[in-house]
């Protein structure tokens, strides 16, 4: 019997079973596999289905109806809108644990001999990236930031770039605004 197809843009309530390698919550909705970002295992969530690729559904979190005890308030003000970080809704130790479980599972497919992975934590969770990719648009108003699906998320308070990169951007953005047409709204 064929699974009932999910309707794009519809809202569904489901329980998150586990996380995939990208930190997306894996769910089953009407016998269909779906991945919803910004969720955690055992959470009861309300989500919308955004797209279907190769028989798999991907969606967005609308609300958490029953929260995981691991969930924390993300430190980044852009976390819910940006796709740059996947684990900021858990503390760093739990982030590392989820990543270790994912890697162990994926390496298990290789049928390799038993091994114990050792995770080496970074000395800092934030301000470590020495390279970022920004996108811009000019209409309907100028905006520069990270690409998330089909929109741009401003990166004003992003916690990822190294301080030297943030310093450069602090000088660059006002110069970029000066080159915009006089009738364009201000970016910052």
């Amino acid at each position: 019997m064929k699974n009932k197809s999910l309707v794009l843009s519809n809202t569904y309530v489901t329980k998150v079973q586990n996380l995939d390698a990208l930190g997306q919550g894996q769910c089953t909705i009407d016998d269909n596999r779906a991945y919803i970002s910004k969720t955690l295992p055992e959470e009861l969530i309300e989500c919308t289905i955004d797209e279907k690729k190769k028989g798999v559904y991907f969606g967005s979190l609308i609300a958490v109806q029953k929260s995981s005890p691991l969930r924390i308030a993300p430190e980044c003000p852009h976390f819910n809108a940006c796709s740059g970080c996947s684990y900021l809704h858990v503390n760093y130790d739990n982030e590392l644990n989820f990543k270790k479980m994912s890697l162990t599972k994926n390496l298990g497919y290789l049928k390799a001999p038993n091994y114990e992975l050792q995770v080496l934590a970074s000395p800092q969770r934030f301000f470590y990236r020495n390279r970022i990719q920004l996108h811009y648009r000019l209409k309907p108003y100028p905006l520069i930031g990270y690409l998330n699906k089909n929109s741009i998320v401003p990166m004003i308070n992003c916690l990822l770039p190294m301080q030297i990169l943030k310093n450069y951007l602090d000088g660059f953005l006002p110069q970029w605004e000066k080159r915009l047409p006089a009738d364009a709204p201000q970016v910052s």
Side-chain angles (χ1 to χ4, degrees), residues 72-80 82 84-90 95 122 124-132 134 146 153-166 169-170:
I72 62 170
E75 295 180 54
C76 178
H78 307 296
F79 176 72
N80 290 323
C82 181
C85 299
S86 300
Y87 294 98
L88 293 185
H89 54 321
V90 295
E95 174 183 351
S122 171
Q124 57 189 37
R125 187 178 194 185
F126 303 113
F127 308 115
Y128 66 91
R129 287 196 183 164
N130 62 5
R131 187 183 83 117
I132 58 174
L134 298 176
Y146 298 113
V153 178
M155 46 69 59
I156 297 167
N157 297 311
C158 179
L159 301 176
L160 295 181
M162 295 174 83
Q163 191 60 47
I164 190 168
L165 190 53
K166 286 184 74 70
L169 289 169
D170 288 345

Side-chain angles (χ1 to χ4, degrees), residues 63-83:
V64 177
Q65 293 184 356
K66 182 179 177 242
S67 183
S68 165
L70 300 178
R71 182 175 284 276
I72 62 170
E75 295 180 54
C76 178
H78 307 296
F79 176 72
N80 290 323
C82 181
S83 61

Side-chain angles (χ1 to χ4, degrees), residues 3-187:
N3 293 350
K4 178 182 170 188
S5 292
L6 302 181
V7 179
L8 298 184
S9 300
N10 268 17
T11 301
Y12 297 91
V13 175
T14 186
K15 186 175 184 179
V16 179
Q17 291 138 354
N18 54 47
L19 295 183
D20 72 353
L22 300 176
Q24 301 172 106
Q26 182 179 351
C27 312
T28 302
I29 304 172
D30 294 337
D31 294 324
N32 293 282
R33 193 169 29 154
Y35 294 93
I36 312 298
S37 59
K38 316 294 185 186
T39 61
L40 294 170
E42 301 302 313
E43 289 187 324
L44 184 64
I45 61 164
E46 181 180 356
C47 63
T48 184
I49 299 299
D50 302 324
E51 63 184 336
K52 180 180 181 181
K53 292 182 182 176
K54 298 182 180 178
V56 178
Y57 293 92
F58 297 89
S60 302
L61 178 66
I62 295 173
V64 177
Q65 293 184 356
K66 182 179 177 242
S67 183
S68 165
L70 300 178
R71 182 175 284 276
I72 62 170
E75 295 180 54
C76 178
H78 307 296
F79 176 72
N80 290 323
C82 181
S83 61
C85 299
S86 300
Y87 294 98
L88 293 185
H89 54 321
V90 295
N91 68 34
Y92 190 49
D93 288 336
N94 286 319
E95 174 183 351
L96 295 177
N97 188 42
F98 280 126
K99 290 178 176 180
K100 180 180 179 180
M101 288 187 309
S102 177
L103 182 58
T104 300
K105 178 180 177 184
N106 287 330
L107 289 175
Y109 295 126
L110 299 176
K111 308 261 191 263
N114 289 343
Y115 49 84
E116 179 62 32
L117 288 177
Q118 181 182 358
V119 175
L120 302 176
S122 171
Q124 57 189 37
R125 187 178 194 185
F126 303 113
F127 308 115
Y128 66 91
R129 287 196 183 164
N130 62 5
R131 187 183 83 117
I132 58 174
Q133 183 176 7
L134 298 176
H135 299 264
Y136 74 94
R137 71 161 192 235
L138 296 177
K139 295 182 180 182
Y141 54 89
L143 187 59
I144 191 165
Y146 298 113
L147 190 63
N148 183 26
K149 295 185 184 174
N150 295 324
S151 64
I152 295 178
V153 178
M155 46 69 59
I156 297 167
N157 297 311
C158 179
L159 301 176
L160 295 181
M162 295 174 83
Q163 191 60 47
I164 190 168
L165 190 53
K166 286 184 74 70
N167 293 345
Y168 175 80
L169 289 169
D170 288 345
F172 168 77
L173 291 175
Q175 296 301 317
W176 184 71
E177 287 181 349
K178 287 180 186 177
R179 295 175 185 261
L180 295 174
D183 62 341
Q186 293 298 302
V187 175

